[in-house]
Amino acid sequence: MFDWLYEIEKPIIRLNDESGELRIKKINSEISLNQMSEVCQLFASFSVIIGSDALTELPTTNDDALNTIMNEIVPHYLDVKEIYIGGILRKINVRRLKRNSSKMIEELLSDGIYPVIPDLYRSNSPNLATEPRKLKYFSVRQELISQPHIMETEKIKNFFNNSFFAETGSVFITPTGWSLEENLKESITIRTFCTFANKIILVIDTKDRSVVGLDIHG
């Protein structure tokens, strides 16, 4: 195996102890934005590149996370639902980008999108499993990774810290078109996430060496 990776056991997923009545409230966003933040780009680009209306679940762990979701992400979507458990807002689910927002991403993909995105989504195939996968887990030796400075990454870091990391300690992202090769060490996605993550785990399907997941820990 490559020197910048080492095999680990399957990570234990930390779950919130949530109990209480589930209530779902649909909300309408009347606001239209003429720009899209890097945080929204990271989640919304998957639907445009893959060509499907993916559901994104965003934890509302604190006011900072909620403000980012409501002000930067929700205005770009048609289908928005607030998820309450025991009377407490736990997450906001978004689906179906507005037409203008989809067009915005298409234009950004041609010029000006957050540079992690075209690397993260290298293929327009969602790489869904057609049969059981044989998975192995590899942790990145971050001290061997060249870490770039991208100013916009600070916004991603802050949002992850206030949402996913605050909720369960990690966020799981599904790359497309990735294969386990030595040059993956130069991936701008891995290099960028190394600047703020405590641990990065690659989930590999050993049948074809495809990377089916990135587990980013804060």
Side-chain angles (χ1 to χ4, degrees):
M1 185 48 65
F2 311 122
D3 63 353
W4 56 280
L5 291 174
Y6 62 96
E7 187 173 356
I8 62 171
E9 295 295 322
K10 180 179 179 179
I12 298 174
I13 300 174
R14 193 181 93 194
L15 299 176
N16 278 347
D17 183 17
E18 296 181 343
S19 60
E21 180 185 4
L22 170 66
R23 183 167 68 90
I24 301 175
K25 178 184 177 183
K26 184 173 183 178
I27 61 175
N28 295 317
S29 173
E30 305 295 339
I31 301 173
S32 294
L33 302 179
N34 58 9
Q35 59 184 1
M36 185 179 291
S37 72
E38 287 76 17
V39 173
C40 188
Q41 289 176 31
L42 186 63
F43 296 106
S45 294
F46 180 88
S47 293
V48 175
I49 294 171
I50 302 303
S52 68
D53 289 320
L55 173 68
T56 301
E57 298 184 345
L58 302 164
T60 55
T61 315
N62 57 42
D63 288 342
D64 287 334
L66 181 59
N67 287 336
T68 299
I69 295 166
M70 293 301 297
N71 295 326
E72 299 182 20
I73 299 177
V74 165
H76 289 287
Y77 285 86
L78 293 168
D79 185 356
V80 181
K81 293 183 175 70
E82 295 179 334
I83 310 300
Y84 292 83
I85 299 178
I88 299 173
L89 179 62
R90 294 291 188 178
K91 63 184 67 175
I92 293 178
N93 293 353
V94 295
R95 178 180 249 162
R96 294 179 57 212
L97 278 167
K98 294 177 180 178
R99 184 185 299 273
N100 286 345
S101 298
S102 293
K103 184 177 179 181
M104 206 177 297
I105 291 177
E106 290 171 356
E107 293 173 350
L108 285 168
L109 283 168
S110 297
D111 181 31
I113 203 160
Y114 181 54
V116 163
I117 291 166
D119 175 64
L120 181 62
Y121 305 123
R122 301 179 182 185
S123 166
N124 60 6
S125 170
N127 192 26
L128 299 176
T130 57
E131 58 184 42
R133 283 174 163 149
K134 186 176 181 181
L135 300 178
K136 286 191 175 182
Y137 303 82
F138 295 89
S139 188
V140 175
R141 298 186 194 274
Q142 294 178 229
E143 69 275 11
L144 300 182
I145 303 297
S146 172
Q147 300 179 16
H149 174 71
I150 302 175
M151 183 175 62
E152 293 81 3
T153 297
E154 191 69 19
K155 301 174 185 177
I156 306 293
K157 170 187 174 181
N158 290 338
F159 181 69
F160 280 4
N161 281 337
N162 287 310
S163 56
F164 297 98
F165 293 167
E167 184 193 40
T168 61
S170 65
V171 56
F172 190 85
I173 299 175
T174 305
T176 64
W178 282 35
S179 181
L180 184 58
E181 299 171 345
E182 173 65 25
N183 63 10
L184 197 58
K185 180 181 179 181
E186 303 304 323
S187 159
I188 190 66
T189 302
I190 291 175
R191 293 172 58 213
T192 297
F193 287 163
C194 276
T195 64
F196 64 83
N198 289 333
K199 182 186 294 184
I200 297 178
I201 299 169
L202 274 61
V203 184
I204 309 297
D205 185 346
T206 59
K207 291 183 178 180
D208 60 4
R209 296 174 65 88
S210 62
V211 182
V212 299
L214 284 175
D215 204 3
I216 315 299
H217 291 251

